[in-house]
CSV table of all heavy atoms in Angstrom, one decimal:
chain,number,residue,atom,x,y,z
A,1,ILE,N,-16.2,1.2,5.3
A,1,ILE,CA,-15.9,0.2,6.4
A,1,ILE,C,-14.8,0.8,7.3
A,1,ILE,O,-13.7,1.2,6.8
A,1,ILE,CB,-15.4,-1.1,5.8
A,1,ILE,CG1,-16.4,-1.8,4.9
A,1,ILE,CG2,-15.1,-2.1,6.9
A,1,ILE,CD1,-15.9,-3.0,4.2
A,2,GLY,N,-15.1,0.9,8.6
A,2,GLY,CA,-14.1,1.3,9.6
A,2,GLY,C,-13.8,2.7,9.5
A,2,GLY,O,-14.3,3.5,8.8
A,3,THR,N,-12.8,3.2,10.4
A,3,THR,CA,-12.3,4.6,10.4
A,3,THR,C,-10.9,4.6,10.1
A,3,THR,O,-10.1,3.7,10.2
A,3,THR,CB,-12.6,5.1,11.9
A,3,THR,OG1,-11.7,4.4,12.8
A,3,THR,CG2,-14.0,4.9,12.3
A,4,PRO,N,-10.4,5.8,9.7
A,4,PRO,CA,-9.0,5.9,9.4
A,4,PRO,C,-8.1,5.5,10.5
A,4,PRO,O,-7.0,4.9,10.4
A,4,PRO,CB,-8.8,7.4,9.0
A,4,PRO,CG,-10.1,7.8,8.5
A,4,PRO,CD,-11.1,7.0,9.2
A,5,ASP,N,-8.5,6.0,11.8
A,5,ASP,CA,-7.6,5.6,12.9
A,5,ASP,C,-7.5,4.1,13.1
A,5,ASP,O,-6.5,3.6,13.5
A,5,ASP,CB,-8.2,6.3,14.2
A,5,ASP,CG,-8.0,7.8,14.2
A,5,ASP,OD1,-7.2,8.3,13.4
A,5,ASP,OD2,-8.6,8.4,15.1
A,6,ALA,N,-8.6,3.4,13.0
A,6,ALA,CA,-8.6,2.0,13.2
A,6,ALA,C,-7.8,1.3,12.1
A,6,ALA,O,-7.0,0.4,12.4
A,6,ALA,CB,-10.1,1.4,13.2
A,7,TRP,N,-8.0,1.8,10.8
A,7,TRP,CA,-7.1,1.1,9.8
A,7,TRP,C,-5.7,1.4,10.0
A,7,TRP,O,-4.8,0.6,9.8
A,7,TRP,CB,-7.6,1.6,8.4
A,7,TRP,CG,-8.9,1.0,8.0
A,7,TRP,CD1,-10.1,1.6,7.7
A,7,TRP,CD2,-9.2,-0.4,7.8
A,7,TRP,NE1,-11.1,0.7,7.4
A,7,TRP,CE2,-10.6,-0.6,7.4
A,7,TRP,CE3,-8.4,-1.6,7.9
A,7,TRP,CZ2,-11.1,-1.8,7.1
A,7,TRP,CZ3,-9.0,-2.8,7.6
A,7,TRP,CH2,-10.3,-2.9,7.2
A,8,ASN,N,-5.3,2.7,10.4
A,8,ASN,CA,-3.9,3.0,10.5
A,8,ASN,C,-3.3,2.2,11.7
A,8,ASN,O,-2.2,1.7,11.6
A,8,ASN,CB,-3.8,4.5,10.9
A,8,ASN,CG,-4.0,5.3,9.6
A,8,ASN,OD1,-3.8,4.9,8.5
A,8,ASN,ND2,-4.4,6.6,9.8
A,9,ALA,N,-4.0,1.9,12.8
A,9,ALA,CA,-3.5,1.1,13.8
A,9,ALA,C,-3.3,-0.3,13.4
A,9,ALA,O,-2.3,-1.0,13.7
A,9,ALA,CB,-4.5,1.1,15.0
A,10,ARG,N,-4.2,-0.8,12.5
A,10,ARG,CA,-4.0,-2.2,12.0
A,10,ARG,C,-2.8,-2.3,11.1
A,10,ARG,O,-2.1,-3.2,11.1
A,10,ARG,CB,-5.3,-2.7,11.3
A,10,ARG,CG,-5.2,-4.2,11.0
A,10,ARG,CD,-6.4,-4.7,10.2
A,10,ARG,NE,-7.7,-4.6,10.9
A,10,ARG,CZ,-8.8,-5.2,10.6
A,10,ARG,NH1,-8.7,-6.0,9.5
A,10,ARG,NH2,-9.9,-5.0,11.2
A,11,ILE,N,-2.7,-1.3,10.2
A,11,ILE,CA,-1.6,-1.2,9.3
A,11,ILE,C,-0.2,-1.3,10.1
A,11,ILE,O,0.7,-2.0,9.7
A,11,ILE,CB,-1.7,0.0,8.4
A,11,ILE,CG1,-2.9,-0.2,7.4
A,11,ILE,CG2,-0.4,0.2,7.6
A,11,ILE,CD1,-3.3,1.1,6.8
A,12,ASP,N,-0.2,-0.4,11.1
A,12,ASP,CA,1.1,-0.4,11.9
A,12,ASP,C,1.4,-1.7,12.6
A,12,ASP,O,2.5,-2.1,12.6
A,12,ASP,CB,1.0,0.8,12.9
A,12,ASP,CG,1.0,2.2,12.4
A,12,ASP,OD1,1.4,2.3,11.2
A,12,ASP,OD2,0.6,3.1,13.1
A,13,ALA,N,0.3,-2.3,13.1
A,13,ALA,CA,0.5,-3.6,13.8
A,13,ALA,C,1.0,-4.7,12.8
A,13,ALA,O,1.9,-5.4,13.1
A,13,ALA,CB,-0.8,-4.0,14.4
A,14,VAL,N,0.5,-4.8,11.6
A,14,VAL,CA,0.8,-5.7,10.6
A,14,VAL,C,2.2,-5.5,10.1
A,14,VAL,O,3.0,-6.4,9.9
A,14,VAL,CB,-0.2,-5.7,9.5
A,14,VAL,CG1,0.3,-6.6,8.3
A,14,VAL,CG2,-1.6,-6.4,10.0
A,15,LEU,N,2.6,-4.2,9.8
A,15,LEU,CA,4.0,-4.0,9.3
A,15,LEU,C,5.0,-4.2,10.4
A,15,LEU,O,6.2,-4.5,10.0
A,15,LEU,CB,4.0,-2.5,8.8
A,15,LEU,CG,3.1,-2.3,7.5
A,15,LEU,CD1,3.2,-0.8,7.1
A,15,LEU,CD2,3.6,-3.2,6.4
A,16,ASP,N,4.6,-4.1,11.6
A,16,ASP,CA,5.5,-4.2,12.7
A,16,ASP,C,5.7,-5.7,13.1
A,16,ASP,O,6.8,-6.2,13.3
A,16,ASP,CB,5.1,-3.5,14.0
A,16,ASP,CG,6.1,-3.6,15.1
A,16,ASP,OD1,7.2,-3.3,14.9
A,16,ASP,OD2,5.7,-4.0,16.2
A,17,GLY,N,4.5,-6.5,13.1
A,17,GLY,CA,4.6,-7.8,13.6
A,17,GLY,C,4.1,-8.9,12.7
A,17,GLY,O,4.0,-10.1,13.1
A,18,GLY,N,3.7,-8.5,11.5
A,18,GLY,CA,3.1,-9.5,10.6
A,18,GLY,C,1.6,-9.7,10.9
A,18,GLY,O,1.1,-9.3,11.9
A,19,VAL,N,1.0,-10.4,9.9
A,19,VAL,CA,-0.4,-10.6,10.1
A,19,VAL,C,-0.8,-11.5,11.3
A,19,VAL,O,-1.8,-11.4,11.9
A,19,VAL,CB,-1.1,-11.2,8.8
A,19,VAL,CG1,-2.6,-11.5,8.9
A,19,VAL,CG2,-0.9,-10.2,7.6
A,20,ALA,N,0.1,-12.4,11.6
A,20,ALA,CA,-0.1,-13.3,12.8
A,20,ALA,C,-0.3,-12.5,14.1
A,20,ALA,O,-0.9,-12.9,15.0
A,20,ALA,CB,1.1,-14.2,12.9
A,21,SER,N,0.3,-11.3,14.1
A,21,SER,CA,0.1,-10.5,15.4
A,21,SER,C,-1.3,-10.1,15.6
A,21,SER,O,-1.6,-9.7,16.8
A,21,SER,CB,1.0,-9.2,15.3
A,21,SER,OG,0.6,-8.3,14.3
A,22,ILE,N,-2.1,-10.0,14.6
A,22,ILE,CA,-3.5,-9.7,14.8
A,22,ILE,C,-4.4,-10.8,14.5
A,22,ILE,O,-5.7,-10.8,14.5
A,22,ILE,CB,-3.9,-8.5,13.9
A,22,ILE,CG1,-3.8,-8.8,12.4
A,22,ILE,CG2,-3.1,-7.3,14.2
A,22,ILE,CD1,-4.4,-7.8,11.5
A,23,GLY,N,-3.9,-12.1,14.3
A,23,GLY,CA,-4.7,-13.2,13.9
A,23,GLY,C,-5.8,-13.6,14.9
A,23,GLY,O,-6.9,-13.8,14.4
A,24,GLU,N,-5.5,-13.6,16.1
A,24,GLU,CA,-6.5,-14.0,17.1
A,24,GLU,C,-7.7,-13.1,17.1
A,24,GLU,O,-8.8,-13.5,17.2
A,24,GLU,CB,-5.9,-14.1,18.5
A,24,GLU,CG,-6.8,-14.6,19.6
A,24,GLU,CD,-6.2,-14.9,20.9
A,24,GLU,OE1,-4.9,-14.7,21.0
A,24,GLU,OE2,-6.9,-15.1,21.9
A,25,ALA,N,-7.4,-11.8,17.1
A,25,ALA,CA,-8.5,-10.8,17.1
A,25,ALA,C,-9.3,-10.8,15.8
A,25,ALA,O,-10.5,-10.7,15.9
A,25,ALA,CB,-7.9,-9.4,17.3
A,26,ILE,N,-8.7,-11.0,14.7
A,26,ILE,CA,-9.4,-11.1,13.5
A,26,ILE,C,-10.3,-12.4,13.4
A,26,ILE,O,-11.5,-12.3,13.0
A,26,ILE,CB,-8.5,-11.0,12.2
A,26,ILE,CG1,-7.8,-9.8,12.2
A,26,ILE,CG2,-9.2,-11.3,10.9
A,26,ILE,CD1,-8.6,-8.5,12.0
A,27,MET,N,-9.8,-13.5,13.8
A,27,MET,CA,-10.5,-14.7,13.8
A,27,MET,C,-11.7,-14.6,14.7
A,27,MET,O,-12.8,-15.2,14.3
A,27,MET,CB,-9.6,-15.9,14.1
A,27,MET,CG,-8.5,-16.2,13.2
A,27,MET,SD,-9.1,-16.7,11.5
A,27,MET,CE,-9.7,-18.4,11.8
A,28,ALA,N,-11.6,-14.0,15.8
A,28,ALA,CA,-12.8,-13.8,16.7
A,28,ALA,C,-14.0,-13.1,16.1
A,28,ALA,O,-15.1,-13.2,16.4
A,28,ALA,CB,-12.4,-13.2,18.0
A,29,ARG,N,-13.6,-12.2,15.1
A,29,ARG,CA,-14.6,-11.4,14.4
A,29,ARG,C,-15.1,-12.1,13.1
A,29,ARG,O,-16.2,-11.7,12.7
A,29,ARG,CB,-14.0,-10.0,14.1
A,29,ARG,CG,-13.6,-9.2,15.3
A,29,ARG,CD,-12.8,-8.0,14.9
A,29,ARG,NE,-13.6,-6.9,14.3
A,29,ARG,CZ,-14.4,-6.1,14.9
A,29,ARG,NH1,-14.5,-6.2,16.2
A,29,ARG,NH2,-15.1,-5.2,14.2
A,30,TRP,N,-14.3,-13.0,12.7
A,30,TRP,CA,-14.7,-13.6,11.4
A,30,TRP,C,-15.7,-14.7,11.6
A,30,TRP,O,-16.6,-14.9,10.7
A,30,TRP,CB,-13.5,-14.2,10.8
A,30,TRP,CG,-12.7,-13.4,9.8
A,30,TRP,CD1,-12.9,-12.1,9.6
A,30,TRP,CD2,-11.7,-13.8,8.9
A,30,TRP,NE1,-12.0,-11.6,8.6
A,30,TRP,CE2,-11.2,-12.7,8.2
A,30,TRP,CE3,-11.1,-15.0,8.7
A,30,TRP,CZ2,-10.3,-12.7,7.3
A,30,TRP,CZ3,-10.0,-15.1,7.8
A,30,TRP,CH2,-9.6,-14.0,7.0
A,31,PHE,N,-15.7,-15.5,12.6
A,31,PHE,CA,-16.5,-16.7,12.8
A,31,PHE,C,-17.4,-16.7,13.9
A,31,PHE,O,-17.1,-16.1,14.9
A,31,PHE,CB,-15.6,-18.0,12.8
A,31,PHE,CG,-14.8,-18.3,11.5
A,31,PHE,CD1,-13.5,-17.9,11.4
A,31,PHE,CD2,-15.4,-19.0,10.5
A,31,PHE,CE1,-12.8,-18.2,10.2
A,31,PHE,CE2,-14.7,-19.2,9.4
A,31,PHE,CZ,-13.4,-18.8,9.2
């Protein structure tokens, strides 16, 4: 699933701003 670059970008975003920082983008892909 996914690419290393995409996962690394997500990891950096979450560690910097918490999961809420990517919440809107994730929810748009979930439902």
